Amino acid sequence: MASLSTTSPPSTTTTSGIATSTTSLSPSLHKTSQISIIQKRINKHRLPRRLSCKANNNDRHDLNPTNDVASNPKIDRRNVLLGLGGLSSLAGLRADPFASAAPIAPPDLSKCGAADSAAFVESLNCCPPFSAQIVDFKPPPTSRVRVRPPAHAVDSAYTAKFNRAVQLMKALPDSDPRSFKHQASVHCAYCDGAYEQVGFPNLDIQVHGSWLFFPFHRWYLYFFERILGKLINDPNFAMPFWNWDAPAGMQLPAIYTNTRSPLYDQFRNKRHLPPALVDLDFNGVDESISNQAQIQANLTILYRQMVSNSRSTSGFLGQPYRAGDNPQGSGSIENIPHGPVHVWTGDNTQPNGENMGNFFSAGRDPLFYAHHSNVDRLWNVWKTLGGRRQDYTDPDFLDTAFLFYDENSQLVRVKVRDCLDSRKLGYVYQDVDVPWLNSRPTPRRAVNRVTGFLERIGVARADEFPRVSFPLTLDKPVKTLVSRPKKKRSKKEKDEEDEVLVIQGIEFDSNVPIKFDVFINDEDDAPTGPDKSEFAGSFVSVPHKHKSEKKLNTCLRLDLTELLEDLDAEDDENVVVTLVPKIGTGHFSIGDLKIEFVS
């Protein structure tokens, strides 16, 4: 691997990347007779209020089979879109208006409403200025590319240029969609219920908790970066990334801590300023461990989330999310370390953990963009690790569309399919070491104790593992047995399918931070830390609100394939699952647990 550079990234030339043709935000309707017929069919069926957590990455029928729309084979989502939103809801979709595809359509800005306010926040207007004219995105020339540097290694010349760009953005009037205020509000609008799904007025667009997490934030950063470059008349400018996945970058980058800098934000946890090291598994309380132990724990977490828990497309990118859906589950990195870094950075003395600790305010901290640049970088890294690690090819993923204002204040319609390769957007990341690749976790004790542990369960099951009734409110640690559909598998079988623990029906209050940890075959009353094989992963929810309902329902999927190898438990008929609440105890419940195999 290349060593870290302390110089500015190389320059490149790029263009606006915008097509010259424009289209109206709301196309007129023509085939009213077809809509009328479909509307009559729709009226006989209720829309789903909540969708279950299920499916693998190839499942195109992920509606809850108990709801009326899904259970009637004559009614599909395209009919729902037509009946509720008219043909205008088909903007950006396939030409055939009766096809079965249902990608999330770009929001109708004319219907942008107040975001759902967090506690102690009276009103929350995150809507951008309205424009009825949209330009379609066109990839820029990429003869040369911008190189995003690690924030901890930039020099003084780069820092001065970056400060100047952010200062100019903050100086723009609020009416300018390129202003820092509106750029911060982009995240709020797409995360806190300001935009409704076209055709589904009772469902908001949510870019967390599904396969939209990575592409939405990539587009968001892309336009933010282009605006910065335009303001300083440098189209080659590239923003930095917070390199928290390597020891040298695990402190909050120094360029963000100067109180006289526009990169500074007063609403950060004062205990977590340098020289404190970031805790990528932050549980709301600072652990009393050495720096070396914290570094090792962080590296092990990165290995688990980037390698063990992301062998499949859905494991890394998250579950499918189509029109008419609620999000069905996050990918590995979105849960950890993305979520814990948000909470670790936010000011714990503020009512909502502002700024980074709550999605409605996270974009107000300039550090947000460095944090998500590293998340974006890891998407690139993941696709180099081999195996089945590749992007979704499902058209519902590829044709999902968003709206952003660009550096010229033009409203741009973009699709997921155009952002899968960052080089085609004109940027890459500076090469840095990835030490977590050599940080595979080790078992808590010698692996031969696991067989004896499971044998003792068979003898004392009633005493050690009383029957657990689901759903249950997780207000204390719980142990339960989960049966495995298959035992010992060949290497070929493991290469083709992952053994996945599915924690279903996670119902939680989105107003409060949530975190619970999951352990496998950990026999002690006090579960181990994240650096051991028994730790399978966590569910994390950064506070945010939805318009449809206060309680959200999703799932967590954890890959057990490598973990069971490390614990020498591949021949066992059951695994012992321990669920441990860490943050938000009592504010969430678990529907059920099962093990399934995912290709």
Side-chain angles (χ1 to χ4, degrees), residues 566-594:
D566 293 343
L567 296 180
D568 195 24
E570 295 178 280
D571 285 335
D572 298 322
E573 295 182 353
N574 305 290
V575 296
V576 178
V577 178
T578 306
L579 306 173
V580 182
K582 291 292 188 177
I583 303 176
T585 300
H587 288 278
F588 57 95
S589 60
I590 306 296
D592 201 3
L593 287 77
K594 68 176 182 179

Side-chain angles (χ1 to χ4, degrees), residues 289-541:
I289 60 175
S290 68
N291 284 352
Q292 187 55 45
Q294 185 63 71
I295 289 171
Q296 187 55 50
N298 286 344
L299 296 178
T300 304
I301 287 167
L302 262 298
Y303 178 93
R304 180 182 292 103
Q305 300 303 89
M306 288 292 294
V307 181
S308 303
N309 269 333
S310 61
R311 291 158 47 95
S312 66
T313 300
S314 60
F316 184 79
L317 290 178
Q319 296 299 300
Y321 175 42
R322 302 181 172 93
D325 282 1
N326 280 314
Q328 294 290 291
S330 304
S332 58
I333 292 298
E334 182 180 357
N335 261 312
I336 300 177
H338 162 258
V341 172
H342 266 282
V343 178
W344 183 87
T345 306
D347 188 346
N348 61 333
T349 67
Q350 295 301 305
N352 302 293
E354 291 95 333
N355 277 324
M356 276 279 281
N358 200 300
F359 284 158
F360 87 88
S361 57
R364 300 173 186 176
D365 187 342
L367 187 61
F368 167 90
Y369 306 93
H371 172 42
H372 269 276
S373 287
N374 201 41
V375 172
D376 181 71
R377 167 183 156 265
L378 292 179
W379 185 9
N380 285 357
V381 173
W382 172 73
K383 286 186 280 190
T384 70
L385 300 182
R388 289 175 281 115
R389 296 177 176 88
Q390 58 184 2
D391 293 322
Y392 281 103
T393 57
D394 189 321
D396 288 354
F397 173 71
L398 300 175
D399 290 332
T400 291
F402 310 107
L403 296 176
F404 294 94
Y405 278 99
D406 72 356
E407 67 272 21
N408 299 312
S409 299
Q410 299 178 104
L411 189 60
V412 185
R413 176 169 42 224
V414 301
K415 290 186 177 181
V416 167
R417 66 171 65 250
D418 291 322
C419 78
L420 301 182
D421 184 347
S422 72
R423 184 174 290 273
K424 291 182 178 180
L425 293 180
Y427 76 90
V428 295
Y429 289 93
Q430 183 175 319
D431 287 336
V432 294
D433 290 339
V434 283
W436 44 263
L437 278 175
N438 299 315
S439 298
R440 184 167 177 166
T442 57
R444 190 173 191 173
R445 296 192 181 90
V447 295
N448 60 10
R449 65 91 181 170
V450 176
T451 301
F453 172 41
L454 292 175
E455 289 174 352
R456 290 200 301 277
I457 291 172
V459 174
R461 183 176 301 170
D463 294 333
E464 293 189 51
F465 301 95
R467 182 177 179 82
V468 176
S469 296
F470 291 98
L472 65 84
T473 297
L474 196 60
D475 53 10
K476 61 183 178 181
V478 170
K479 286 184 185 288
T480 185
L481 284 179
V482 180
S483 62
R484 298 176 63 208
K486 299 179 187 177
K487 293 171 60 176
K488 187 80 172 179
R489 297 192 297 149
S490 67
K491 182 181 184 303
K492 182 176 183 297
E493 288 175 315
K494 288 187 284 188
D495 288 341
E496 294 175 349
E497 284 189 324
D498 298 323
E499 184 169 358
V500 177
L501 173 67
V502 184
I503 304 176
Q504 305 177 102
I506 304 173
E507 188 171 84
F508 61 99
D509 184 346
S510 64
N511 297 319
V512 299
I514 300 293
K515 184 176 187 290
F516 68 84
D517 294 342
V518 183
F519 301 86
I520 302 297
N521 290 359
D522 198 336
E523 64 176 296
D524 290 349
D525 291 335
T528 185
D531 60 327
K532 299 302 180 185
S533 301
E534 290 85 349
F535 181 79
S538 303
F539 174 83
V540 178
S541 174

Side-chain angles (χ1 to χ4, degrees), residues 40-58:
K40 292 178 181 178
R41 296 165 66 189
I42 297 295
N43 288 340
K44 297 179 181 179
H45 298 272
R46 292 181 293 110
L47 285 177
R49 292 190 68 242
R50 179 178 294 149
L51 300 169
S52 64
C53 174
K54 57 172 59 183
N56 57 42
N57 47 324
N58 296 315

